[in-house]
């Protein structure tokens, strides 16, 4: 592994250009208008794995978009690492807030990325981080130092809840058999202080529909006499939190674990500046559940947020109507022991109960997943910690993320393997937002660090 920096330095420009070409394909899984682009991206990922040196690469059909599977086996008696990633991306909306077109990648220097960062949808989540693993494989194959077996499972539906992944995993357990699962779809504290994500929150995502009159009404003739679905929806949403920002759904907190003071104190050791946090977001103050710090609110506590709300007339000028319907999309981030199906049922019952008689309510569940925690005494975590320390020169800090990767719990259930989340992005990389980007330093550092994980995991697993 001594020549990894030399190899990466020699091929750095090519690695960057290859990623840029991948980012140009608008593989938006949420919008059927981009369906062909999804298939084109799968083809591109397949070609990149073949060029990197995988023995077997195939595009596997599913009920939805395809999964790209690859493997490189050097000795069946050695451990096997399964790499998971996704090639689909979030919609780019709102387009007008991008400083450059979302699918025309450009490199710009920023305060946190003086070496430059690639600005494009999917740069960090997850094309850039997924592609680090492809290039790490290339390095290990080209230099004859792949220490164990490796498999890849790269899907195209993660951003819409991975509806076909469970179907695929359940039917391919032997194909996917492994000793550890490696994912880079998370972040780290900073470029000087790496961290390993040891916990993910679960997710329940629903859409609500409130219906009043059987048609849009004139707000002058009917205003004040008929329930306005938009007004009602706003009031119902406001009732979902109390004055302490505590979620009011009966039974919501029944299975929420209260961490010990000792554990919370350990979490608090992670470097964090509340002033820098507020400055980065251009807000005057933070906001959240009373009794918890900002880092606790976005990692070890459950949440409920409105992700979108609409109804009535929103075009140019004025149109005085009482809308027949109003809608909202709502996500709930969950902590370990909270079952997302149970939470969805609790939400549906409560939201229906708080509606006044003048409207009808419909709740449509979209997708969800369970929370997950990786033990820090596992071989995979120890190998990752050694890899980061060797690459960055400092021991990584274990942290819990506020995000959700629902398939991680699925992997443990079906494949009986622990998942290690080696993320290289930063919180400031604007994933899911306009101007998403991924630092050149982070991309290259990931390629340099990943092979070290293979080395240490193979040594520890002997």
């Amino acid at each position: 592994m001594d020549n990894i920096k030399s190899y990466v330095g020699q091929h750095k420009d090519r690695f960057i250009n290859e990623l840029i070409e991948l980012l140009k394909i608008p593989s938006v899984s949420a919008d059927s208008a981009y369906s062909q682009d999804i298939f084109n991206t799968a083809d591109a990922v397949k070609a990149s794995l073949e060029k990197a040196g995988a023995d077997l690469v195939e595009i596997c059909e599913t009920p939805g978009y395809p999964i790209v599977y690859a493997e490189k086996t050097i000795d069946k008696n050695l451990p096997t690492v399964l790499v998971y990633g996704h090639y689909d991306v979030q919609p780019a909306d709102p387009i007008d807030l991008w400083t450059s077109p979302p699918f025309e990648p450009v490199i710009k220097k920023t305060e946190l990325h003086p070496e430059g960062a690639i600005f494009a949808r999917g740069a960090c989540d997850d094309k850039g981080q997924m592609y680090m693993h492809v290039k790490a494989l290339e390095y290990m194959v080209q230099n004859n130092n792949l220490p164990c077996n490796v498999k890849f499972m790269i899907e195209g539906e993660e951003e819409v809840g991975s509806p076909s992944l469970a179907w695929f995993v359940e039917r391919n357990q032997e194909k996917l058999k492994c000793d550890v699962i490696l994912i880079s779809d998370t972040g780290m504290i900073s470029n000087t202080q790496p961290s390993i994500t040891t916990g993910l929150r679960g997710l329940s995502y629903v859409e609500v529909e409130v219906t009043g009159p059987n048609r849009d009404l004139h707000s002058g003739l009917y205003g004040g006499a008929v329930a306005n679905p938009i007004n009602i929806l706003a009031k119902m949403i406001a009732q979902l939190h109390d004055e302490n920002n505590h979620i009011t759904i009966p039974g919501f907190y029944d299975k929420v674990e209260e961490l010990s003071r000792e554990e919370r104190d350990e979490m608090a050791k992670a470097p964090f500046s509340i002033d820098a946090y507020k400055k980065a977001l251009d807000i005057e103050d933070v906001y959240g559940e009373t009794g918890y710090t900002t880092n606790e609110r976005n990692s070890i506590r459950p949440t409920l947020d409105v992700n979108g709300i609409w109804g009535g007339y929103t075009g140019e000028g004025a149109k005085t109507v009482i809308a027949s319907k109003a809608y909202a999309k709502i996500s709930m981030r969950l902590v370990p022991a909270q079952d997302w199906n149970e939470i969805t049922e609790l939400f549906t019952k409560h939201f229906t109960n708080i509606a006044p008689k003048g409207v009808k309510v419909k709740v449509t569940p979209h997708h969800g997943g369970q929370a997950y925690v990786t033990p820090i005494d596992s071989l995979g975590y120890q190998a990752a910690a050694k890899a980061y320390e060797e690459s960055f020169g400092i021991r990584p800090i274990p942290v819990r993320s506020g995000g959700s990767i629902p398939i991680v719990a699925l992997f443990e259930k079906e494949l009986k393997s622990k998942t290690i989340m080696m993320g290289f992005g930063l919180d400031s990389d604007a994933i899911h937002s306009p101007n998403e980007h991924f630092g050149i330093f982070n991309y290259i550092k990931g390629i340099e660090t990943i092979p070290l994980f293979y080395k240490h995991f193979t040594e520890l697993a002997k």
Side-chain angles (χ1 to χ4, degrees), residues 177-364:
K177 188 176 181 180
C178 61
D179 296 281
V180 69
I181 299 166
L182 190 58
I183 298 177
S184 294
D185 196 10
T186 52
M188 58 184 185
I189 292 172
S190 71
N191 286 350
T192 56
Q193 177 56 71
S195 56
I196 300 175
T197 300
T198 58
L200 295 165
R201 288 193 289 192
L203 174 67
S204 169
Y205 194 100
V206 301
E207 182 173 321
V208 300
E209 175 185 308
V210 176
T211 302
N214 60 6
R215 64 187 186 279
D216 288 0
L217 302 177
H218 189 292
S219 66
L221 298 178
Y222 292 92
V226 176
N228 182 324
I230 300 176
N231 293 354
I232 297 298
L233 176 58
K235 291 179 180 180
M236 292 171 67
I237 289 172
Q239 293 178 56
L240 295 175
H241 293 87
D242 65 16
E243 66 277 7
N244 294 314
N245 291 313
H246 198 264
I247 296 164
T248 57
I249 299 170
F252 187 87
Y253 291 96
D254 285 358
K255 296 181 180 179
V256 174
E257 176 190 7
E258 288 287 346
L259 297 190
S260 67
R261 184 71 262 170
E262 290 76 16
E263 289 178 275
R264 292 173 69 180
D265 287 344
E266 281 297 309
M267 289 180 56
K269 292 180 180 178
F272 179 74
S273 167
I274 192 67
D275 291 332
Y277 184 84
K278 291 188 290 187
K279 181 180 178 181
L281 298 176
D282 193 21
I283 56 177
E284 292 187 8
D285 203 359
V286 293
Y287 185 86
E289 187 180 3
T290 301
Y292 297 91
T293 67
T294 296
N295 283 341
E296 290 173 337
R297 290 168 179 165
N298 64 24
S299 62
I300 64 171
R301 299 298 295 170
T303 64
L304 185 153
D305 285 292
V306 178
N307 304 129
I309 184 169
W310 69 100
Y313 181 71
T314 59
E316 185 176 350
K319 183 181 181 183
T320 53
V321 296
I322 294 173
S324 172
K325 294 178 179 291
Y327 306 84
K329 293 181 184 290
I330 296 173
S331 65
M332 291 161 280
R333 299 288 176 168
L334 312 175
V335 296
Q338 282 185 300
D339 179 83
W340 77 272
N341 289 296
E342 181 179 332
I343 292 299
T344 302
E345 291 179 7
L346 290 174
F347 173 88
T348 301
K349 181 179 179 181
H350 179 64
F351 202 71
T352 303
N353 287 342
I354 63 176
K357 290 183 178 180
V359 299
K360 295 184 288 291
V361 171
K362 178 182 177 182
V363 177
T364 303

